[in-house]
């Protein structure tokens, strides 16, 4: 790619322009010096795209300066972040020229080369970065900027490298961005990862979104015009925007709910943003807009989510409600102030009003987790304890539940009463027998919802069961459960037991010993986790069907009830396609039939034929394939 020296300097000037608003003359001089140093160090080096290598450090510095709003030292380090790793320059040389602060940041973001890694090369590098949180989180943000630009330019990499980098991103960097409140960066990282892990599915969902955007244009315009009229008439200063969910978010909801695209709710939402008001608080202004809208639109019962009074732990604030449009469709509305909106882009950086991040509860808690992991070297020998600890701390939004005394307890989303019990006290968790949730008796494996009031009953004869880890989300619960249970060796499979891939699906392989390869679906959570830890073991596989081998598959369908419907469904699978049905469960309620069918197929193409065959039956409305 032919990029001139003039173009290189023009791009660097964009970084300097962004920094001039908040830097001293001395800091600007240091920034220009860092660029020139990096430019000279990377002279004659090229990226996989064919561009001069310096284009990458400039792009990372621009993300750090413009999108993350970092200060002079981290932007200098962004210019220099690959110098020590990819050139003869040493960190000592960086320290001599740019000082201790910049040198520290460059050292943290530089991958350490070792003869032997404690866990694996990837995990050791992750741990090195996370350990920097004990001192300074800016290094993590530089690495986040580095990963964002790498993902934006991943086209030039080989498919196996794309899978490795995408797996790391989905497993590590996107959740980190979410935890720090960088919602827009989190969404972009998730979707870029999804695009390279499952390109066919990504493109299909992207086309569905574009088709809906065009199809819904007229209806949404009518709905929005009515909102504009209501708020303008009451002299409310605001702006409004419609945001469509991205392919990854849509795919994840489809997997969670078992619904297809057309039946999935919340594919888009309308955001109403208002300026700060010197007379009304943010909450009062949100409630004022909410009141005006619900005076004119029917409100969906139980649809309010108040993130103004109870922000997410990453700092997100908004007032959510669903309203019924003139076309009979529930529309999701997010009401925010301009500062709330900006905060969703800049995360904790916005709160401080400075170029550093405030120390906050989550960072303090996470530092304790890292310290705890370091003190358990035996559990951490293969890196699984480390990544499980990180996952429990990073990977979930939070819910707030309460003790009977009204004490608030913050837990990861999808936590169960087990997590609550361990949060109260280790001994309560170790001997938890039952729960009372909002006054009703429930299993300790019951998933909790935001606002639940929880009480735990204990019995000294009760101890954690083998399946408790499957019903736990929080680090504290998982740590103590695993300390109690003897870890059993998992059997070696040639086919992932979690995603159960079928020939013809998009798959990837992982070397498992000298000869064995474990095959996973490309959207398998287990594969994403493995890619983040053992990316060098990824191999391409030619996963072909065999006439004598069949694979279990499950579909669910919804239909309008009628005579002979069930026999038509069985006929379409057993008689027409000559496939064996293993199990069938059907429920009819208010003339709507829901049926779940387990059967065997030879490959994914045969499964799609089954789905198409069932969809062709009169009165069948929806068919979903479950991959678990």
């Amino acid at each position: 790619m032919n990029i001139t020296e003039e173009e290189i300097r023009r791009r660097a000037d964009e970084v300097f322009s962004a920094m001039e608003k908040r830097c001293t003359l001395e800091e600007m001089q240091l920034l220009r010096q860092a660029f020139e140093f990096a430019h000279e160090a990377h002279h004659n080096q090229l990226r996989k795209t064919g561009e001069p290598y310096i284009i990458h450090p400039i792009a990372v510095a621009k993300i750090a300066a413009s999108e993350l709003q970092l200060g002079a030292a981290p932007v200098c380090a962004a210019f220099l972040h690959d110098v020590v790793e990819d050139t003869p320059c040493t960190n000592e040389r960086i320290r001599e020229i740019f000082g201790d602060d910049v040198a520290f940041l460059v050292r943290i973001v530089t991958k350490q080369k070792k003869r032997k890694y404690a866990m694996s090369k990837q995990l050791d590098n992750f741990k090195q970065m996370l350990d920097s949180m004990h001192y300074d989180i800016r290094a993590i943000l530089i690495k986040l900027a580095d990963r964002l630009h790498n993902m934006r330019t991943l086209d030039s990499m080989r498919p196996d490298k794309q899978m490795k980098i995408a797996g790391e991103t989905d497993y590590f960097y996107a959740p980190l961005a979410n935890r720090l409140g960088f919602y827009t960066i989190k969404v972009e990282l998730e979707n870029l990862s999804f695009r390279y892990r499952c390109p066919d599915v990504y493109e299909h969902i992207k086309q569905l979104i574009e088709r809906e955007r065009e199809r819904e244009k007229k209806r949404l315009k009518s709905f929005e015009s009515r909102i504009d009229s209501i708020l303008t008439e009451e002299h409310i200063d605001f702006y409004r925007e419609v945001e469509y969910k991205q392919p990854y978010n849509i795919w994840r909801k489809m997997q969670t709910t078992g619904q297809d695209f057309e039946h999935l709710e919340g594919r888009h939402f309308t955001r109403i943003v208002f300026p700060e008001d010197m007379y009304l608080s943010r909450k009062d202004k949100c409630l004022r807009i909410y009141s005006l809208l619900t005076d004119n639109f029917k409100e969906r019962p139980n649809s309010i989510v108040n993130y103004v009074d109870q922000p997410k732990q990453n700092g997100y604030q908004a007032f959510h409600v669903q309203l019924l449009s003139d076309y009979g469709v529930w529309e999701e509305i997010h009401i925010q102030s301009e500062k709330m909106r900006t905060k969703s882009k800049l995360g904790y950086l916005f709160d401080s009003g400075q170029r550093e991040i405030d120390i906050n509860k989550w960072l303090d808690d996470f530092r304790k987790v890292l310290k705890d992991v370091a003190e358990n070297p035996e559990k951490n020998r293969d890196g699984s304890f480390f990544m499980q600890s990180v996952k429990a701390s990073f990977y979930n939004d939070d819910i707030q539940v309460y003790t009977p005394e009204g004490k608030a307890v913050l837990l990861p989303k999808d936590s169960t009463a087990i997590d609550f019990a361990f949060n109260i006290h280790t001994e309560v968790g170790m001997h938890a027998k039952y729960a009372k949730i909002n006054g009703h008796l429930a299993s300790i494996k019951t998933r909790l919802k935001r606002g639940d009031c929880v009480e735990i009953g204990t019995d000294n004869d009760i101890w954690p069961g083998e399946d408790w880890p499957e019903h736990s989300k929080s680090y504290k619960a998982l740590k103590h459960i695993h300390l109690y249970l003897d870890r059993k060796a998992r059997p070696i499979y040639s086919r992932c037991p979690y995603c159960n891939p079928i020939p013809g699906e998009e798959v990837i392989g992982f070397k498992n010993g000298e000869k064995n390869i474990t095959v996973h679906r490309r959207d398998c959570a287990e594969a994403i986790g493995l890619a983040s830890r053992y990316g060098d073991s990824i191999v391409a596989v030619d996963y072909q069907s065999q006439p004598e081998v069949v694979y279990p598959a499950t579909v669910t369908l919804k239909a309008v009830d009628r005579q002979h419907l069930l026999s038509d469904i069985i006929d379409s699978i057993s008689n027409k396609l000559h496939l064996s049905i293993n199990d069938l469960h059907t429920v009819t309620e208010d003339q709507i039939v829901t049926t779940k069918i387990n059967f065997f197929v030879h490959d994914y193409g045969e499964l799609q034929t089954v789905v198409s065959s069932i969809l062709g039956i009169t009165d069948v409305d929806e068919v979903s394939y479950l991959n678990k």
Side-chain angles (χ1 to χ4, degrees):
M1 186 176 294
N2 186 23
I3 293 182
T4 64
E5 179 67 19
E6 181 181 3
E7 174 63 13
I8 290 172
R9 294 193 174 274
R10 185 193 68 77
R11 297 191 187 190
D13 284 340
E14 291 178 347
V15 180
F16 304 141
S17 296
M19 297 300 293
E20 281 173 344
K21 304 169 187 176
R22 56 180 188 272
C23 287
T24 65
L25 290 175
E26 291 78 10
E27 288 173 330
M28 289 305 300
Q29 183 178 355
L30 195 70
L31 284 164
R32 294 180 188 277
Q33 188 178 5
F35 161 67
E36 296 294 348
F37 189 94
H39 191 7
E40 177 61 30
H42 292 299
H43 185 63
N44 290 332
Q45 289 183 350
L46 299 177
R47 299 194 77 210
K48 296 286 187 182
T49 58
E51 299 173 322
Y53 194 87
I54 189 61
I55 291 297
H56 171 63
I58 292 172
V60 174
K62 185 177 179 183
I63 292 170
S66 300
E67 298 182 48
L68 297 178
Q69 298 281 298
L70 297 179
V75 175
C76 280
F79 276 127
L80 300 166
H81 77 277
D82 278 337
V83 166
V84 174
E85 186 175 341
D86 294 340
T87 78
C89 180
T90 65
N91 197 257
E92 283 303 316
R93 181 64 176 153
I94 298 293
R95 180 176 285 103
E96 290 172 8
I97 300 173
F98 299 100
D100 290 342
D101 196 20
V102 173
F104 165 76
L105 295 171
V106 172
R107 179 176 64 80
I108 294 300
V109 299
T110 300
K111 294 177 182 177
Q112 301 299 305
K113 297 176 181 177
K114 305 176 184 178
R115 287 187 176 182
K116 185 177 181 181
Y117 293 93
M119 295 176 286
S120 74
K121 183 177 180 180
Q122 283 173 294
L123 291 184
D124 280 21
N125 287 327
F126 289 160
K127 190 172 187 305
Q128 175 189 327
M129 285 187 292
L130 292 174
D131 283 341
S132 73
M133 284 187 176
H134 287 291
Y135 316 104
D136 193 328
I137 200 171
R138 294 173 302 166
I140 287 283
L141 298 181
I142 297 168
K143 200 64 185 176
L144 201 59
D146 179 35
R147 178 50 57 113
L148 183 56
H149 185 249
N150 282 334
M151 289 301 295
R152 287 172 176 174
T153 56
L154 200 57
D155 275 327
S156 59
M157 303 295 286
R158 300 194 318 262
D160 59 322
K161 289 292 185 182
Q162 288 177 347
M163 182 65 185
K164 175 186 175 183
I165 294 170
E168 288 179 351
T169 300
D170 206 41
Y171 200 84
F172 184 83
Y173 291 98
L176 174 60
N178 182 52
R179 270 299 186 184
L180 295 176
F182 298 107
Y183 178 75
T184 53
I185 291 177
K186 168 247 188 189
V187 169
E188 184 175 358
L189 287 175
E190 284 178 339
N191 279 282
L192 287 169
S193 173
F194 186 44
R195 173 188 167 192
Y196 289 105
R197 286 190 293 103
C198 307
D200 292 346
V201 179
Y202 174 88
E203 285 300 325
H204 176 63
I205 295 177
K206 184 179 176 182
Q207 289 170 16
L208 291 174
I209 293 170
E210 290 303 316
R211 192 185 310 162
E212 175 174 294
R213 191 191 297 268
E214 188 62 31
R215 185 179 62 200
E216 298 290 305
K217 189 180 295 183
K218 180 180 177 181
R219 184 182 64 75
L220 277 175
K221 185 176 180 180
S222 171
F223 176 68
E224 292 156 11
S225 295
R226 191 174 168 196
I227 289 177
D228 293 349
S229 176
I230 293 165
L231 299 183
T232 302
E233 187 175 326
E234 295 295 327
H235 308 290
I236 301 292
D237 190 9
F238 73 100
Y239 71 84
R240 173 191 43 71
E241 56 191 10
V242 174
E243 184 169 316
Y244 278 80
K245 300 290 178 68
Q246 294 295 311
Y248 176 77
N249 187 278
I250 294 289
W251 171 83
R252 184 171 57 190
K253 289 187 74 173
M254 289 168 65
Q255 296 299 302
T256 302
T257 64
Q259 295 176 317
D260 63 11
F261 181 86
E262 295 298 333
H263 292 81
L264 195 70
E265 289 190 347
R267 299 190 293 264
H268 64 266
F269 63 88
T270 298
R271 182 185 290 113
I272 297 172
V273 184
F274 58 86
E276 302 297 313
D277 194 313
M278 61 184 296
Y279 301 108
L280 289 175
S281 69
R282 297 176 189 175
K283 178 181 177 181
D284 287 341
K285 195 67 175 286
C286 285
L287 291 175
R288 170 73 174 141
I289 293 172
Y290 159 76
S291 178
L292 290 170
L293 293 177
T294 51
D295 283 345
N296 292 272
F297 292 97
K298 184 175 178 59
E299 173 188 346
R300 190 172 193 172
N302 304 314
S303 68
I304 288 178
V305 184
N306 180 5
Y307 290 121
V308 178
D309 286 337
Q310 296 181 355
K312 292 185 178 182
Q313 196 167 350
N314 63 14
Y316 174 82
Q317 285 184 293
F319 190 92
H320 295 191
V321 66
Q322 292 184 40
L323 306 175
L324 189 63
S325 73
D326 294 336
Y327 288 75
V329 176
W330 292 110
E331 291 288 349
E332 187 174 338
I333 306 293
H334 295 181
I335 306 172
Q336 289 181 301
S337 72
E338 288 179 341
K339 286 187 177 179
M340 292 178 191
R341 177 73 182 121
T342 304
K343 187 174 182 179
S344 69
K345 297 178 181 179
L346 293 181
Y348 283 111
L349 287 170
F350 179 73
D351 259 355
S352 64
Q354 302 172 359
R355 292 190 292 272
E356 290 118 14
I357 289 182
D358 287 341
I359 301 300
N360 54 74
K361 185 180 184 301
W362 174 76
L363 280 175
D364 286 342
D365 289 345
F366 189 63
R367 286 168 179 144
K368 291 174 185 176
V369 169
L370 291 174
K371 183 174 182 293
D372 200 29
V373 171
E375 292 172 353
N376 287 274
E378 288 301 311
K379 299 289 287 183
N380 198 36
R381 185 171 294 168
D382 65 351
S384 58
F385 182 59
F386 168 70
M387 285 310 292
Q388 188 178 54
S389 305
V390 170
K391 182 175 181 179
S393 300
F394 269 4
Y395 281 55
N396 303 278
D397 290 330
D398 299 298
I399 58 171
Q400 191 161 279
V401 296
Y402 300 90
T403 66
E405 294 76 29
K407 178 186 175 183
V409 176
L410 202 64
L411 294 171
K413 185 180 177 182
D414 295 331
S415 287
T416 65
I418 294 174
D419 296 289
F420 178 89
F422 276 100
N423 188 279
I424 297 302
H425 194 280
T426 302
E427 285 302 303
V428 175
M430 294 297 287
H431 301 291
K433 185 175 185 178
Y434 65 87
K436 283 191 175 180
I437 302 173
N438 303 321
H440 298 284
L441 188 65
S443 162
I444 58 168
K445 299 170 186 175
T446 303
R447 188 176 295 178
L448 302 178
K449 301 187 295 297
R450 186 182 177 92
D452 281 343
C453 180
V454 188
E455 185 178 0
I456 300 296
T458 61
D459 184 332
N460 287 335
D461 292 330
I462 296 294
W463 294 91
E466 293 286 342
D467 62 342
W468 279 30
E470 301 170 22
H471 300 279
S472 305
K473 287 287 183 183
S474 63
Y475 168 74
K476 188 173 182 180
L478 288 165
K479 171 195 168 184
H480 288 289
I481 292 168
H482 280 305
L483 285 174
Y484 174 77
L485 297 173
D486 291 326
R487 190 183 294 273
K488 296 180 178 180
R490 293 182 177 180
I492 297 175
Y493 293 92
S494 57
R495 181 168 169 257
C496 172
Y498 302 104
C499 66
N500 296 311
I502 297 173
E505 292 185 293
E506 293 184 316
V507 297
I508 195 73
F510 288 83
K511 288 182 180 177
N512 191 6
E514 284 295 320
K515 299 180 179 179
N516 195 283
I517 293 177
T518 306
V519 181
H520 299 257
R521 286 168 52 109
R522 281 177 169 261
D523 58 10
C524 173
E526 183 77 5
I528 295 169
L530 289 171
S532 73
R533 306 195 300 273
Y534 308 110
D536 291 333
S537 69
I538 296 172
V539 293
V541 291
D542 186 19
Y543 191 43
Q544 299 290 335
S545 62
Q546 302 175 43
E548 68 278 8
V549 180
V550 292
Y551 302 87
T554 302
V555 297
T556 60
L557 65 93
K558 282 190 175 182
V560 179
D561 193 22
R562 63 170 172 81
Q563 194 173 16
H564 303 308
L565 174 65
L566 193 58
S567 63
D568 287 348
I569 293 169
I570 295 172
D571 181 68
S572 71
I573 299 174
S574 294
N575 297 332
K576 292 182 179 178
L577 299 176
H578 307 292
L579 299 176
S580 298
I581 295 177
N582 186 48
D583 181 61
L584 186 149
H585 180 73
T586 186
V587 175
T588 303
E589 185 174 356
D590 297 330
Q591 301 302 309
I592 303 300
V593 178
T594 302
T595 301
K596 181 178 179 181
I597 312 169
N598 298 320
F599 53 100
F600 294 94
V601 295
H602 293 87
D603 55 38
Y604 189 62
E606 199 168 55
L607 173 61
Q608 290 177 310
T609 301
V610 172
V611 172
S612 298
S613 178
I614 297 174
L615 277 172
I617 297 172
T618 303
D619 293 321
V620 172
D621 178 67
E622 177 183 347
V623 181
S624 301
Y625 159 49
L626 303 179
N627 61 17
K628 292 184 180 180

